[in-house]
Amino acid sequence: MNIEQELKKDGIEIVGRLDTLSINTLAKDVSEKICKTFPKAHFVPSQLFIELSRIPMYIARMPEGFAEANYFYKNSSIYFKSGIPLDELEKFAIHEFIHYIQEVRDNKGNVVRLGLCDFTEFSTYGLALNEGAVQVATAKVLNQNVDIVKYYDISLPTTSPTYYPLLCNLVNQLAYLVGNDALYESTLLATNEFKLSLIEVCGKKAFLKIQDNLDDILNIEEKIIKLNYELVSDDCEGMKAQKVANKIACFKKKLKNTFIETQKLIFTSYFDNEFNKLNTTEAIEMYRGKLYNYKNYIGITENYSEFNDYYINKMVALEDRYEAILNNVAIVPVNNSKIHNIFKALRNIFSLQTEKKLDN
């Protein structure tokens, strides 16, 4: 199957090539912004402009539900949805340009890696992690602020309220733990720094589960999008419409549960591991501050209390650890009966005060 046939299989029909002036304008503007946003990547604006301007770019008709721009790694080309004004193309092009920049091929020309995504002969690993990371980087290039949104009944902070908000939120949680520099380096330069850092602080088993869960979230969202368009189609009515609606409800519930499960795995694996390393009062204070500030990254649902409960338990454990260090005695188990007596007043400090509701 050739490239054109593969595109048609995905519902992409080429209308024509993007004109040279538009390509050069996009390449120039985006290369300058990427270089300015990520100076540690050491890109040279003139060289990056030349690379980006050589990417084949097309205008194409695409099915409903597709993004406004798509990078097709098999021929290293970008396809823009027809009807988008030129002055709107840039914000959609950045994500796809980053995909091109992060592409790594072997001697035979086969793609073996896209940033945080690894391609093997039998499977692909980290696809959703990479998509979330690329969109986080795109939001930074666009200088987008953190916004509180409600998506599939989850209120969460994100720098990308309309594109991959759930993935971006979880990627930002991961980046908070090991640093944004590691995230951007691995995303743009296709290194292992971000993954290895997470494996070191969360454990390999936890990291692999987190990576798989992100893929599940991406796949579930795609299924919901397809079912939503099926639901509004002319031939979807009566019992068929009810069945589709029931499927959508089931997938939404699964999506919400997977998000909450993944979030819990992220903070428990990290903070449990780091807690075991605490042996000075200075380390305890740093740990306390990092755990407290994590509340600014989490997503919550109605009656959600898992992080709040975890925080309270850890504060009790920290007090015991702190006293043990001061008294130079062996570390003793936490007395869980202290929890509600000492920290009852803290139970509501993690609620999100404002939210903006998105259609879902």
Side-chain angles (χ1 to χ4, degrees):
M1 185 182 297
N2 60 33
I3 296 297
E4 189 171 342
Q5 289 173 327
E6 286 197 46
L7 291 171
K8 285 185 177 180
K9 184 180 178 182
D10 290 334
I12 299 175
E13 183 181 348
I14 298 174
V15 175
R17 292 191 72 120
L18 189 64
D19 64 275
T20 303
L21 178 59
S22 297
I23 289 175
N24 288 339
T25 300
L26 286 174
K28 181 177 183 297
D29 291 346
V30 174
S31 60
E32 289 177 352
K33 289 181 179 179
I34 288 177
C35 291
K36 182 179 179 181
T37 305
F38 305 110
K40 292 183 179 180
H42 301 296
F43 293 127
V44 178
S46 59
Q47 294 179 357
L48 188 57
F49 161 72
I50 292 173
E51 290 185 40
L52 298 182
S53 65
R54 290 175 177 172
I55 301 174
M57 302 182 203
Y58 300 90
I59 302 297
R61 285 187 283 271
M62 301 181 190
E64 291 296 329
F66 262 55
E68 282 75 6
N70 284 273
Y71 178 71
F72 199 64
Y73 71 86
K74 292 185 178 180
N75 65 346
S76 299
S77 298
I78 297 175
Y79 299 86
F80 295 102
K81 183 177 288 188
S82 60
I84 301 175
L86 178 60
D87 58 356
E88 291 286 312
L89 284 182
E90 183 180 305
K91 65 182 180 182
F92 303 121
I94 294 171
H95 185 106
E96 314 312 321
F97 280 151
I98 292 177
H99 274 316
Y100 175 82
I101 291 169
Q102 62 176 192
E103 184 181 89
V104 177
R105 294 180 179 267
D106 61 18
N107 294 331
K108 296 180 181 179
N110 300 313
V111 174
V112 294
R113 173 175 284 192
L114 278 176
L116 292 160
C117 178
D118 293 299
F119 294 85
T120 70
E121 183 179 355
F122 303 105
S123 190
T124 302
Y125 301 96
L127 178 62
L129 176 62
N130 187 60
E131 281 298 330
V134 170
Q135 187 55 35
V136 167
T138 299
K140 186 169 179 61
V141 173
L142 292 171
N143 198 28
Q144 293 182 192
N145 296 320
V146 175
D147 199 2
I148 304 297
V149 301
K150 191 167 186 179
Y151 203 69
Y152 296 113
D153 294 326
I154 306 169
S155 294
L156 54 94
T158 180
T159 54
S160 181
T162 55
Y163 295 96
Y164 301 124
L166 300 183
L167 292 180
C168 289
N169 172 270
L170 292 171
V171 168
N172 275 321
Q173 290 190 38
L174 293 170
Y176 172 71
L177 302 180
V178 298
N180 286 317
D181 286 348
L183 171 66
Y184 296 136
E185 176 191 313
S186 292
T187 302
L188 296 169
L189 305 179
T191 72
N192 286 319
E193 178 67 21
F194 188 61
K195 287 185 177 182
L196 292 178
S197 297
L198 288 170
I199 289 172
E200 181 179 355
V201 297
C202 295
K204 185 174 182 179
K205 182 179 179 181
F207 169 75
L208 293 177
K209 178 61 176 174
I210 291 165
Q211 183 174 254
D212 288 344
N213 280 5
L214 293 178
D215 285 334
D216 288 342
I217 288 171
L218 181 61
N219 291 331
I220 294 169
E221 282 201 274
E222 290 177 349
K223 290 176 181 178
I224 292 173
I225 290 171
K226 290 179 181 178
L227 287 170
N228 277 332
Y229 281 105
E230 181 179 348
L231 188 62
V232 298
S233 62
D234 293 337
D235 63 340
C236 188
E237 54 186 19
M239 289 298 296
K240 181 179 179 180
Q242 186 60 52
K243 288 181 179 179
V244 173
N246 290 340
K247 286 183 180 179
I248 292 173
C250 288
F251 278 128
K252 284 184 176 181
K253 182 179 180 180
K254 184 177 180 181
L255 183 66
K256 181 168 65 174
N257 291 340
T258 304
F259 176 91
I260 295 299
E261 173 196 327
T262 307
Q263 175 175 267
K264 181 179 180 179
L265 181 56
I266 291 172
F267 67 73
T268 57
S269 62
Y270 174 81
F271 287 106
D272 285 353
N273 285 341
E274 291 299 300
F275 181 85
N276 294 329
K277 303 174 186 177
L278 299 175
N279 54 22
T280 67
T281 57
E282 291 81 2
I284 286 177
E285 291 308 318
M286 291 180 64
Y287 178 99
R288 193 193 308 274
K290 191 160 189 175
L291 178 59
Y292 177 80
N293 288 325
Y294 197 83
K295 75 184 191 313
N296 298 320
Y297 293 83
I298 64 169
I300 63 172
T301 57
E302 187 177 0
N303 299 320
Y304 176 84
S305 64
E306 279 187 306
F307 180 73
N308 192 53
D309 294 339
Y310 181 84
Y311 175 84
I312 292 171
N313 277 277
K314 275 292 181 280
M315 289 300 103
V316 173
L318 285 175
E319 289 301 315
D320 284 355
R321 178 65 60 94
Y322 195 93
E323 291 177 13
I325 292 173
L326 288 180
N327 297 324
N328 196 26
V329 297
I331 304 302
V332 295
V334 176
N335 181 359
N336 289 325
S337 65
K338 296 180 183 179
I339 295 173
H340 293 292
N341 292 331
I342 299 176
F343 294 101
K344 185 177 181 181
L346 297 176
R347 284 201 173 275
N348 296 318
I349 66 174
F350 300 107
S351 61
L352 293 173
Q353 300 301 318
T354 59
E355 64 185 31
K356 182 176 73 177
K357 191 169 185 179
L358 291 180
D359 293 332
N360 54 63

